[in-house]
Amino acid sequence: MPRPIENAIVLIENDPITAVGGRDRITIPSDATTIDCTGLFIVAGFQNSHVHFTDEQWTDAATQPASTLTSQLQAMLTRYGCTTVVDAASLLANTVALRRRVETGAVNGPRILTAGLALFAATACSDAGGARHIGCH
């Protein structure tokens, strides 16, 4: 099993990580901004493989203020280190609109993958309220 890299450098240039290694192996550019992480750990981003964007707060994601959506995504996901999420079933057009706004940089949030609408047996949506909410008809 790989061991932690003591006294490590993580070099980020124009957003992507370009190098990781011990201080003796990585050259830090003279104009680089440095952040002292002594006593801290750096881990990869997490993936949440089962989320839903069905709560009222996600309605009209195409037109909600970017700051509102960013704040909601932070409260639900990014503050916990989630950099990728899989939407297991939501209203597809709304989730795609949210994903598009994240991808264009208008909203700060995780990468969003989606399964689209949920699949149900014809008898699974017996209550009308639930059927409208998830798209069963």
Side-chain angles (χ1 to χ4, degrees):
M1 180 160 96
R3 298 183 53 83
I5 303 170
E6 299 291 334
N7 202 18
I9 300 294
V10 177
L11 187 61
I12 302 170
E13 297 180 272
N14 298 322
D15 218 17
I17 295 173
T18 57
V20 175
R23 185 172 294 279
D24 59 332
R25 305 183 125 215
I26 305 294
T27 301
I28 303 171
S30 61
D31 62 342
T33 300
T34 60
I35 301 171
D36 183 2
C37 295
T38 302
L40 303 176
F41 295 89
I42 297 175
V43 298
F46 299 114
Q47 175 172 309
N48 184 332
S49 296
H50 191 127
V51 301
H52 298 280
F53 294 108
T54 54
D55 291 342
E56 187 69 29
Q57 68 183 8
W58 305 111
T59 302
D60 298 321
T63 58
Q64 277 198 49
S67 60
T68 299
L69 290 172
T70 295
S71 178
Q72 292 168 181
L73 287 167
Q74 182 180 26
M76 180 177 165
L77 299 162
T78 57
R79 71 181 293 179
Y80 301 106
C82 293
T83 58
T84 299
V85 299
V86 179
D87 167 54
S90 296
L91 298 176
L92 185 59
N94 197 60
T95 302
V96 168
L98 178 60
R99 177 174 61 193
R100 188 174 305 115
R101 293 187 71 191
V102 170
E103 289 174 344
T104 63
V107 170
N108 293 324
R111 179 173 66 144
I112 299 172
L113 309 174
T114 184
L117 294 173
L119 300 175
F120 291 95
T123 58
C125 293
S126 59
D127 98 34
R132 280 193 304 279
H133 183 67
I134 59 174
C136 291
H137 300 295

